[in-house]
Amino acid sequence: MRNQSIEFIMAGRRQRRRRWILVTSLLAALAFTLCCAMLLLGNTIYPVKDVIRALSGEQLKGVSFAVNTIRLPRMLAGLFAGFAFGLAGHTFQTMLRNPLANPNVIGVTSGSSVVAVYCIVVLHTSAAMVSIASVIAGLATVIFIYILSRGKTFSIGRLILVGIGIQAMLDAVISYLLLVSAQQDVPSALRWLTGSLNGSQMHQLPPLVIIVIICSPIVILLGKHLSILELGEQSASSLGVNTDKTRIVLIVSSVFMVAIATATTGPIAFVSFLSGPIAKRLVGAGSSNIIPAGLVGINLVLAADLIGQFAFEYRFPVGIITGLLGAPYLIFLLIRMNRKGEL
């Protein structure tokens, strides 16, 4: 009987592992396909061989400029920003055990946004300074929220409520800055706030790439502790997890990724909110969804950007498309949580 139980458990693990590998492989293949589409499609559709020659450094009239100067930076910005948003969003939602607890809702991106808008419409700083300031602001915001929500014991509900309150206050500040700023500065700020891959340039990408390469392995390696944290504070402590240390490392790593992604592309709506639930639905319970969530984030950003570029008469920023996708899910989630008495 005992051997049969062990065999049953092992069979379940093998099935979950096969499903994880299949889903992750399909998501990676879809992300690769979308990356190729980003390089091939545009005002002119270039043959695959010409795009490969341009990427290898060969100078082809028209092709090299379009591919290396416009399409490649756009694709890389969407790739790394989507992965950062997806990974960080899933980390926040799992760690805080609440699907609403993502960087957009609890005010992290609003902290970056308010400083970025201030730099654009008041200080008129360079794009590099906007990026640096928004990263610092994102970190300062989450520290401020964490300190305000910190009582005798850590409370997830308190942190979310404080974050929502801070976000509302910061959004009001953004509205005020847009209202009193010069009219010629408003379009630039609105374009940044919408979330867009338009105008992405290669020299803007190294900070984003470096932060994602450094922080994402930390989050992935702490994935086993993330699963234990999902069981609750006391259960995690009884299993030997240093909950405060693990939570701080995960929060800092995730905030770094969200802040630098926001600084590069603007706050692309709902990607961090949608990636985790979609990955969980695809992979199923009992498996780590960290890497699939990052891949879902890539696919959402790249697919939304392609839709925004080619599906309509006018071209729309990627943030508008992800907003149209995410808003109905948010309403559905709120209705479901309300019916379950979780609100």
Side-chain angles (χ1 to χ4, degrees):
M1 180 65 73
R2 184 182 177 187
N3 291 335
Q4 287 180 345
S5 300
I6 294 175
E7 181 60 30
F8 180 77
I9 294 172
M10 295 303 294
R13 287 183 178 177
R14 286 195 293 269
Q15 185 177 10
R16 288 195 295 272
R17 190 180 300 117
R18 284 196 294 270
R19 181 171 176 176
W20 187 93
I21 293 173
L22 177 64
V23 170
T24 305
S25 301
L26 290 175
L27 288 172
L30 179 59
F32 177 76
T33 304
L34 292 171
C35 287
C36 293
M38 294 279 288
L39 295 174
L40 293 172
L41 302 179
N43 290 331
T44 304
I45 301 175
Y46 296 116
V48 175
K49 63 178 182 180
D50 287 350
V51 172
I52 294 174
R53 289 168 62 190
L55 290 174
S56 63
E58 189 173 344
Q59 290 300 318
L60 302 175
K61 186 177 181 181
V63 182
S64 296
F65 177 80
V67 172
N68 294 327
T69 306
I70 299 175
R71 299 181 189 180
L72 181 61
R74 187 187 191 101
M75 183 271 286
L76 290 175
L79 177 74
F80 283 95
F83 190 73
F85 283 131
L87 211 65
H90 171 71
T91 301
F92 270 87
Q93 289 168 328
T94 306
M95 183 170 53
L96 301 179
R97 289 180 287 133
N98 192 309
L100 295 176
N102 67 85
N104 294 116
V105 173
I106 64 174
V108 178
T109 52
S110 292
S112 297
S113 298
V114 70
V115 173
V117 171
Y118 184 79
C119 290
I120 293 171
V121 303
V122 178
L123 301 180
H124 301 100
T125 59
S126 64
M129 284 305 299
V130 172
S131 299
I132 294 171
S134 58
V135 170
I136 295 173
L139 287 170
T141 303
V142 78
I143 291 172
F144 186 59
I145 292 171
Y146 190 80
I147 291 173
L148 284 183
S149 61
R150 183 77 180 173
K152 292 182 179 178
T153 58
F154 178 77
S155 169
I156 295 169
R158 192 161 53 230
L159 184 141
I160 294 173
L161 287 175
V162 170
I164 291 174
I166 296 295
Q167 185 200 30
M169 184 182 70
L170 295 173
D171 287 345
V173 174
I174 292 173
S175 299
Y176 172 77
L177 289 173
L178 293 176
L179 188 65
V180 300
S181 61
Q183 289 189 355
Q184 64 268 22
D185 296 326
V186 173
S188 298
L190 289 177
R191 192 163 46 249
W192 192 91
L193 286 172
T194 303
S196 175
L197 303 181
N198 295 337
S200 299
Q201 298 177 11
M202 290 300 285
H203 69 83
Q204 298 172 329
L205 299 181
L208 172 63
V209 175
I210 291 170
I211 291 296
V212 170
I213 289 175
I214 291 175
C215 292
S216 56
I218 296 174
V219 175
I220 292 170
L221 288 174
L222 288 176
K224 56 182 180 182
H225 297 320
L226 191 63
S227 302
I228 297 174
L229 279 175
E230 201 174 6
L231 299 175
E233 193 82 6
Q234 293 182 345
S235 300
S237 298
S238 63
L239 290 171
V241 176
N242 187 330
T243 54
D244 283 341
K245 183 179 178 181
T246 303
R247 187 177 290 112
I248 289 172
V249 173
L250 285 171
I251 287 176
V252 170
S253 301
S254 300
V255 169
F256 258 115
M257 286 195 291
V258 168
I260 194 67
T262 304
T264 306
T265 64
I268 300 178
F270 290 111
V271 175
S272 58
F273 177 62
L274 290 172
S275 298
I278 292 175
K280 188 175 182 179
R281 179 75 65 177
L282 292 174
V283 175
S287 300
S288 173
N289 298 324
I290 296 177
I291 296 176
L295 292 171
V296 170
I298 294 173
N299 288 316
L300 282 175
V301 172
L302 297 184
D305 189 57
L306 287 169
I307 292 172
Q309 285 190 74
F310 304 113
F312 305 99
E313 183 178 358
Y314 300 101
R315 295 194 172 192
F316 295 103
V318 60
I320 291 179
I321 306 300
T322 55
L324 290 173
L325 294 174
Y329 177 74
L330 176 60
I331 295 171
F332 164 76
L333 184 64
L334 291 172
I335 293 173
R336 195 177 67 172
M337 292 178 71
N338 186 47
R339 285 177 178 172
K340 290 183 178 179
E342 297 175 352
L343 288 178

